[in-house]
Amino acid sequence: MAQMNLLQAINSAMDIAMATDDSAVVFGEDVGHFGGVFRATSKLQEKYGKERCFNTPLTEQGIIGFANGLAAQGSTAIAEIQFADYIFPAFDQLVNESAKFRYRSGNEFDVGRLTVRTPYGGGIAGGHYHSQSPEAYFTHTPGLKIVVPRNPYEAKGLLLASIRDDNPVVFFEPKRLYRASVGEVPEGEYTISLSKAEVVQSGSDITLLGWGAQMELIEKAAKMAADIGISCEIIDLRTLLPWDVDTVAKSVCKTGRLLVSHEAPITGGFAGEIAATIQQECFLHLESPIARVCGMDTPYPLALEQAHMADHLKIFEAIKASVEF
Amino acid sequence: MSLEPQHQVHKAVMTSGHALKIPELKILQSDGTPYPGATLPDIDQELALKIYDTAVFTRVLDERMLAAQRQGRISFYMTCIGEEAAVVGSAAALSQDDMIMAQYREQAALRYRGFTTEQFMNQMFSNVKDLGKGRQMPIHYGSNELNYMTVSSPLGTQIPQAAGYAYGQKRAGKEAVTLCYFGEGAASEGDFHAGLNMAAVLNCPAIFFCRNNGYAISTPTSEQFAGDGIAPRGVGYGINTIRVDGNDMLAVLAATQQARAIAVAENKPVLIEAMSYRLGAHSSSDDPSGYRSREEEAKWREHDPVLRFKLWLLAQGWWSEEQDEALYDQYRKEVLAAVKVAETLPKPAYDTLVTDVYDTVPEHLEKQLQETRDHMARYPDHYPADSGKEA
Ligand SMILES: Cc1ncc(C[n+]2csc(CCOP(=O)(O)OP(=O)(O)O)c2C)c(N)n1
């Protein structure tokens, strides 16, 4: 085991993917010699050459279109979109092409070997073009898998699993934690199954569900709740599409309460989907309405970021309200 | 479309992507004297001094604000260092009614239009007086009054918008154009191709101004495009195209004056490619030593556009070294004083969290704001208390 931050863990996953699969290619804006603006791809060009790790021209549409072609050819394509806020020029390629390649061709062709990595999320004083959490747009798209890791260990195992998964995966990386989150990570190979949620902490009064950077705030709120005698079960969803209904439903049937928290705006956010499914699965076990603690329905602000965020205090208040309902 | 007989061949003729070499307009030499036989643009002393004043202000602003960022007083900054001539020279060829759509590194054009030092500071400190209400990162300026469209971070998006804006200006019977700045990196975006094609086909009085400064963050032009830069693409779209020395104030002014004349008289777009160099880092978050050499930067320092223009002014007898020193000194003081005021002003009011999302605040946002306020009242120490206080 080694101490790694989230970026190093991601770098290590790509390093292993490239070492074990000669067809694996890593590319995107500034990812070559420079190692990406966050340095997630550092040293990969030095190690594997310019043909396998390179800068692309500045076009997200081009990057994902190219990746689709490359993956359809049978190569492993690992594309970086510099910020999730800039994934939208590639929206058509992802949503209409990557997602539907297999289905529309009757499995004659597929882009299963495509993985798109992109930093997402706020809390970094980045204003609204460096802070968005656009996962919900993609969870509405059959054919894609959506994965969000919460710490370095998870990031490496989930990214390697995403790269090796036979479906196109959009892998959202919590940039707030890139350097802030450090932990023990095996240097060698391991994968974490996609579409399996993890029960991070067991508890009896309420289930708290989230993913990515939000997990840190959820855990902080759960500690505050423990101090006043509320026992929280905490689940990291890890994969948003297709998601692990069973693990969540089992937990909610036990605790009788559910709180879902994400950074993205509440309306049309993925928490709504979870709430609808879980109230159907667990209706007779619920002791309070399913709570959602999410971003406001506004673009992500700069100066008033703190007020806008679904922070630990808002989660803590919602936990109390659920339990006292 | 059928070609004239003289353009028809009966054996394959491959036209190389490198066949087209666009010439580069140069007027001023490095020592500040015009090239022999060069035609000067339409410029008098008053215009020349306004241009120079803007370039000096921009340089001072950039130096001071980069320092302010290093001191942690603002979160982010981007300089225009090395590209002042490209930006001021082009802005000076426009009329105040023309719309400017900037990418982000064109503070000099906004200054030329009359944006005050205080207004720059209010934006960068996201205070209650920021015209953008503290919503965007530093340097995302905009002013309706000055016909300067607010900067948006996603690259290239303003290029097709410029075509549309110009089309609207034409239909409204205005003798005005839209000038759109972007980098050679952003010219790789799909929006660039869509925008130029739209403008060409729909006869839009737009000027597309590419600052080709050698790098897009760490990516050199050799990894951005093959072929002879951005200019030949204009030709491909059927657009009048000119390339200029972007470090030559007079060449940029001349090219843009002519571009504007064509756009207004003929309702046609023009593409200008200004060849320059980004002397500073990409932004305050970037360290160029990881991807280029000091020698390369030093070489470009010799082509300093502000110095070159100053030498010309001195030769004209329109400017002196004493005046120069005094101007730098005045702007250093002015910027520092403005920083001190702007950083103490409060943040915008919490109400601005929900305004301008729509024309009026919908009920669900009123409710979310109320919930946020109630929540913050329970934890008064945790959220900034001064937001919305009178400035
Ligand atoms: C759509 C989009 N993709 C990526 C980015 C991140 N980004 C910001 S600036 C930049 C480089 C731009 O280079 P260029 O257009 O050449 O302008 P320069 O910075 O050289 O002035 C990149 C990649 C962005 N802002 N928008």
Side-chain angles (χ1 to χ4, degrees), chain A residues 29-30 58 60 82-83 86 89 130, chain B residues 78 83 103-105 153-155 182-187 189 211 213 215-217 278 282:
Chain A
E29 292 157 17
D30 300 292
L58 215 174
E60 293 75 16
Q82 200 163 80
F83 286 91
Y86 305 135
H130 297 84
Chain B
M78 289 178 112
E83 297 179 71
Q103 178 157 300
Y104 49 55
R105 205 184 288 290
S153 310
L155 288 167
F182 50 90
E184 86 289 346
E189 292 283 3
R211 295 179 291 96
N213 63 11
Y215 286 89
I217 311 189
R278 196 194 76 210
H282 169 70

Side-chain angles (χ1 to χ4, degrees), chain A residues 30 33-34 50 55 57-61 86 126 129-130 296-298 302-304 306-307 311 313-314 316-317, chain B residues 126 134 136-137 152-153 185 188-190 216-219 223-224 290 353 364-365 368 375 378-379 382-384:
Chain A
D30 300 292
H33 170 66
F34 192 47
K50 264 194 153 180
N55 290 337
L58 215 174
T59 163
E60 293 75 16
Q61 177 186 30
Y86 305 135
Y129 292 119
H130 297 84
M296 295 172 80
D297 286 327
T298 71
L302 177 74
L304 306 173
Q306 253 182 306
D311 65 4
L313 295 174
K314 289 179 188 168
F316 174 57
E317 288 297 320
Chain B
S126 327
Q136 293 208 78
M137 281 164 73
S152 176
S153 310
S188 292
E189 292 283 3
I217 311 189
S218 77
T219 303
E223 293 173 34
Q224 192 66 246
L353 271 170
H364 74 288
L365 284 181
Q368 289 180 13
H375 173 78
R378 276 195 288 277
Y379 298 94
H382 192 76
Y383 302 95

Side-chain angles (χ1 to χ4, degrees), chain B residues 253-286:
Chain B
L253 181 67
T256 316
Q257 282 174 345
Q258 287 177 43
R260 188 176 187 281
I262 292 171
V264 169
E266 302 174 34
N267 280 316
K268 278 188 179 153
V270 179
L271 172 64
I272 300 175
E273 182 178 24
M275 309 309 287
S276 185
Y277 189 81
R278 196 194 76 210
L279 264 183
H282 169 70
S283 75
S284 56
S285 316
D286 171 46

Side-chain angles (χ1 to χ4, degrees), chain A residues 169-185:
Chain A
V169 177
V170 184
F171 191 85
F172 288 103
E173 299 169 1
K175 67 168 123 26
R176 181 165 65 79
L177 303 184
Y178 265 159
R179 291 193 174 82
S181 178
V182 179
E184 293 280 305
V185 178

